[in-house]
Every structure is written in C-alpha cells, then in structure tokens.
Amino acid sequence: MFSPRIVFVVLTSVLLLVACGFPAALKPARETPGAYLIENAAVLDVDTGEIAVDRFIYVEDGIIRHVGHERPEAVAAGAARIDVSGAVVLPGLIDMHVHVFDEADLAANLAYGVTTIRNLGGMPFHLPMAQQIEQGRLLGPRLITTGTILNERDGRNTNDLQTLVAGADRARAAVRRQYRAGFRHLKVYSNLSRESLAAILDEAAQLGMTVSGHPVEGTEADPLEMADTLAGGFTTIEHAESIVWFGLSDNTDPAMARALAQQMAAANSRVTPTLIVHHNLARIVETDGAHVTRPDMHSFSPVMQGFEQGRYDYWASYPHDDRTRMQAFYVEMTGYMHEAGVELVVGTDAGVMVTPHGVSVSEEIELLVDAGLSPLEALQAATLNSAGALDMADRIGRVEAGYASDLLIVQGNPLEDFAVLRRPVGVMRGQRWLDAEDLAQLQVVSSNPAEFRTWRRVIGHVLTR
C-alpha cells in the first residue's frame, strides 16, 4: 500500500512540521452555560412518530431534565434560553459504520446533527480522541471505536491497515493486545480462517468485548458457511452487499434471498446495510466518474481520495451496468431482511469510497425507505435501533428526561421530507449548543482536513500495529 519512498517522505515531512492542533471551532467554548431552556419546541417522538408542539426542553449538565408543555419549576440561574420557534426537535442521529481520519470528520458529522458515531477500523489516535470528546476538550460526536480490523494473513482482501493473524494463538494475542490498549470492540473481516475466527470469538467473550464485521468466508481450503457468522453473536453484520456476495453467491433469486433473510432473523441478527456506499460506487459508473467531484465531496479526506484514486478510475471506465442492477438488489435484500424481522441500523461507511461524513446519514435513511421501511422505521434505525446496538438505549436515541442532550433541530417534519435533515437549524451535543452560525463554521472546518495529520496517523498505525 505504501512504498518505502512514500513512508520516508511522509515521516520526514511530519518531523519538520509543528504538530497540528485541531480547529478553533472544535475547541471548548470559553463560556458554556451549564443549563439551557429550549422553548416553543415541536418534539418528535421517535417511538410513535407523533409531534408534540409548544414544548419546553430543559437541559442541565448535558442531560435532559424535563420535556413538557409546562415550563419546569426549577431552572438554574443563568440558564440560556433558546426559542426554536416551532422547529422540530429530534434525537441526534447515530452512524454505526464510519472511518474517522481527522477532526474534520467530527465537524462534518456534527454539522448534520450526527451526534454519535461508531468507527470500524481503529488506530492508536482514536481512543485519545474519544477521551478528549468525552472530557469536553474536543467538540465532536460521541465516538465509539473498534480496534484495528482483524483479517487472515495471506488471505484475500487484506491491506496494510489491518492486523493480520494466522491461527488461534496469534488471533488470541491480537485480541488481547487490543484489549490492553483500551479497545472494547472488535471488527472482523471477510477472510479469517475457521480457527482464527473461533479463537477471536472465544477470547472476546472471555474479555467482555463485542464483535462486529463482515460475513466471514474462511479460507479457500476450508470455507465457512453463512451459518458460522450467524452463530458468532456479532453485534452487527456489516454490508448488504457482503451478505448478498457471501450468503447468496450474488444470486438475485427472491426466494433464496427471503430464505436467507429468515435464517438471519431466526439467529437474531442485526445488520448495518450501508447501502449508500455501494450506491456511490454505482453512481461513479453511471456518471463516468463525475460523481467523484460532486459538491458533497468537499469534506472527503484528500489523503483517502488519493489512496482510492485507482479504484475511482477503474469504476469510472467500467463498461457494464451490473453495479446499478446489483445496487437495486442490495436495496431489495434489505427489504427482505426487514420483512423477516432482522433489526436494521444506519451506517454509511463514511470516510471511504466517496462517501462523506454527516450528509450521507440522511441519504442512507432514504435508501432504507426505498427498501420498504416506513419513514418512521428508517428514522428509528438511526436512533432507537442504533442506540440499542450500542447498549445505550437508556441514554441516547430519544428526546426524554434522563437522556443525553444530543439534539437535532430542523425546520419541518423529517418523516414527511428527509431533506430537512440536511438543513439543520440547530444541534445540541452534550453541554454545547450549536446555532446556524456555528453549524456553518463546522461546514468550513469539515472542508479543510489536515492532510499531514492524517498521513502521520495512518503511517504511524501501519508501522506500529
């Protein structure tokens, strides 16, 4: 992935640079009120889809203390009053599959009201970044992260960002290293061997770590079945595309697809379809590459764009229409899973394959509606379902007393028009209120990722993993 010359140039450049600080817009506010009284709110109940108008929302120390028609009796002295003039307040959105490379990615998520993200491909900088966010020293969405992706040495689909294992002993050792480093979540990739996967699952269970990832195919000499992944107790299985590829061998027969969906439901599987990322690949093919330069790409990491340029060029000149047809079937398969009772969560794979952070969440929600979910069910996938998958259903995902004050404020009912999610008028994340001007500044920050900081982190990860 990286030639010795690139490594030398990048490391030399980094040594010559002063360490990059993060943008001012992501630094703690000098004076942040300890309490807020939000007035004239229309509160969306994501359990029922009903909107209650003329509500007061009282927030203190980052927790919702009151939601109701009456003004709360006890309001802290100095509480900031925010009149949202009938705008709709809903819980901050959750993206269950992202790849964070820079603080600009945090800004891009908050700019669109994404207040919790799960990073599926950890590097050493992710844990300190998450700690900075929780301590209030860095403004960003709540960050949950797996460790480095685990895959089989000498297998297919490996890359330099993964930790490669071979057999039970090395697999267990890799899990223990991630645990000692502070990670509590694992991501497994497609080509782990039967022995390695079993060891990872066992070691994770002993340590109390969660496991998510792709359906695991095994090796050419000892292939696994979809049932082996379903029996693994994954928190989430990633990508409708991977499920169709492995579980159906890309067969688009509806009867086979429904049977697989029912098998997954019987195993109590939970799936992150990530429809938007393959949608973007298909759009590259359909537009002869023009999709790569669309306006939403302003926040996409130039470092990752450089890494992936060869892939873009390949798909831009791809002569077939199978990607469009397969994308339609991935959406169809997602509908079959939903009909069968498989719980779906929203994830975008943001940070790779021309899929930007933040804005892609509402696009994924719309694709879930295309798959047959109702608008409310699709919104629940980005709130209630995702909160449950993170074992945080009692803390995030609702606008209720006792929940974290992660709020998204929009002009209009998102259940009637998801486009309003792309035009937030306010966001609250913990103890920080972000008005329209703040959100505009976050958009500016998201458009200026620090390339050298990303290089330093990626190269450092490759050399030390």
Side-chain angles (χ1 to χ4, degrees):
M1 186 174 182
F2 304 107
S3 69
R5 180 177 178 276
I6 290 176
V7 172
F8 175 80
V9 170
V10 171
L11 290 179
T12 301
S13 300
V14 168
L15 290 173
L16 294 174
L17 289 174
V18 177
C20 299
F22 48 82
L26 295 178
K27 293 180 180 178
R30 291 183 179 179
E31 296 182 7
T32 301
Y36 296 85
L37 182 62
I38 300 174
E39 302 172 324
N40 298 314
V43 177
L44 175 61
D45 184 335
V46 290
D47 285 285
T48 66
E50 297 177 355
I51 293 179
V53 299
D54 298 326
R55 280 343 191 225
F56 290 92
I57 304 172
Y58 179 57
V59 171
E60 190 171 7
D61 298 327
I63 302 295
I64 299 170
R65 305 295 182 183
H66 169 89
V67 180
H69 193 271
E70 302 296 327
R71 188 180 190 275
E73 294 182 2
V75 175
R81 296 177 61 179
I82 302 169
D83 188 340
V84 297
S85 302
V88 174
V89 180
L90 63 151
L93 304 177
I94 302 170
D95 191 334
M96 290 288 287
H97 192 137
V98 303
H99 296 276
V100 171
F101 297 101
D102 187 69
E103 282 76 2
D105 299 333
L106 306 179
N109 279 292
L110 281 185
Y112 288 97
V114 181
T115 56
T116 299
I117 55 177
R118 184 178 64 153
N119 179 72
L120 265 71
M123 302 184 198
F125 78 92
H126 285 122
L127 288 176
M129 174 182 277
Q131 187 176 45
Q132 285 182 313
I133 293 169
E134 289 308 302
Q135 293 174 346
R137 295 185 289 123
L138 172 64
L139 177 62
R142 181 180 294 97
L143 173 60
I144 293 100
T145 185
T146 70
T148 307
I149 297 169
L150 298 171
N151 205 3
E152 193 77 13
R153 186 176 301 280
D154 299 324
R156 296 162 291 174
N157 301 318
T158 61
N159 65 54
D160 286 339
L161 297 182
Q162 299 171 351
T163 292
L164 304 181
V165 302
D169 290 344
R170 291 185 179 181
R172 289 183 185 277
V175 172
R176 289 194 293 269
R177 281 197 304 273
Q178 293 196 16
Y179 185 86
R180 287 195 300 270
F183 294 101
R184 295 297 179 263
H185 309 283
L186 301 172
K187 181 182 178 182
V188 297
Y189 215 65
S190 309
N191 300 116
L192 285 166
S193 68
R194 184 184 304 273
E195 181 184 0
S196 296
L197 176 62
I200 289 167
L201 294 174
D202 183 65
E203 196 69 24
Q206 292 186 45
L207 296 172
M209 303 177 78
T210 72
V211 180
S212 297
H214 293 209
V216 180
E217 303 169 22
T219 63
E220 291 187 51
D222 184 17
L224 296 176
E225 302 293 331
M226 188 69 177
D228 295 297
T229 293
L230 301 184
F234 287 23
T235 297
T236 55
I237 301 172
E238 305 303 303
H239 311 305
E241 176 186 358
S242 296
I243 291 168
V244 170
W245 163 260
F246 181 49
L248 296 174
S249 300
D250 268 357
N251 191 315
T252 59
D253 177 62
M256 291 180 61
R258 286 191 172 97
L260 176 58
Q262 290 165 1
Q263 181 186 4
M264 297 178 72
N268 295 316
S269 302
R270 184 189 288 117
V271 170
T272 319
T274 64
L275 295 169
I276 186 62
V277 70
H278 188 272
H279 167 84
N280 284 329
L281 186 155
R283 291 291 293 143
I284 293 174
V285 177
E286 294 162 0
T287 64
D288 298 324
H291 192 61
V292 175
T293 59
R294 69 192 190 279
D296 284 346
M297 284 290 288
H298 69 88
S299 64
F300 194 82
S301 169
V303 173
M304 299 315 296
Q305 192 161 358
F307 288 162
E308 296 187 331
Q309 188 60 52
R311 296 174 67 193
Y312 303 161
D313 293 342
Y314 172 81
W315 290 114
S317 59
Y318 190 70
H320 309 295
D321 66 353
D322 60 329
R323 290 304 90 201
T324 297
R325 289 186 287 105
M326 289 308 297
Q327 174 63 19
F329 186 72
Y330 301 148
V331 173
E332 190 175 336
M333 180 66 199
T334 300
Y336 295 147
M337 289 189 287
H338 175 64
E339 289 173 4
V342 175
E343 183 173 280
L344 304 178
V345 298
V346 163
T348 63
D349 222 354
V352 300
M353 202 58 194
V354 298
T355 303
H357 285 267
V359 67
S360 297
V361 173
S362 62
E363 296 173 336
E364 180 72 13
I365 291 172
E366 290 174 343
L367 286 170
L368 291 181
V369 173
D370 291 344
L373 280 70
S374 71
L376 178 59
E377 289 169 333
L379 186 60
Q380 288 170 342
T383 52
L384 302 180
N385 296 1
S386 293
L390 295 172
D391 198 23
M392 300 179 72
D394 59 343
R395 287 175 281 169
I396 62 174
R398 288 182 171 89
V399 183
E400 289 184 12
Y403 279 68
S405 53
D406 294 347
L407 306 174
L408 169 58
I409 296 87
V410 296
Q411 290 286 4
N413 185 349
L415 300 179
E416 297 175 354
D417 181 9
F418 283 126
V420 302
L421 298 177
R422 293 191 280 277
R423 300 187 297 272
V425 295
V427 171
M428 179 166 278
R429 168 68 178 106
Q431 293 180 242
R432 184 84 170 263
W433 167 255
L434 303 166
D435 61 18
E437 183 177 341
D438 296 321
L439 297 178
Q441 184 59 39
L442 288 174
Q443 288 277 13
V444 173
V445 171
S446 74
S447 301
N448 294 280
E451 292 187 52
F452 279 106
R453 180 166 54 210
T454 300
W455 272 112
R456 182 186 65 202
R457 288 167 169 170
V458 171
I459 296 297
H461 168 66
V462 169
L463 295 179
T464 62
R465 75 194 191 286

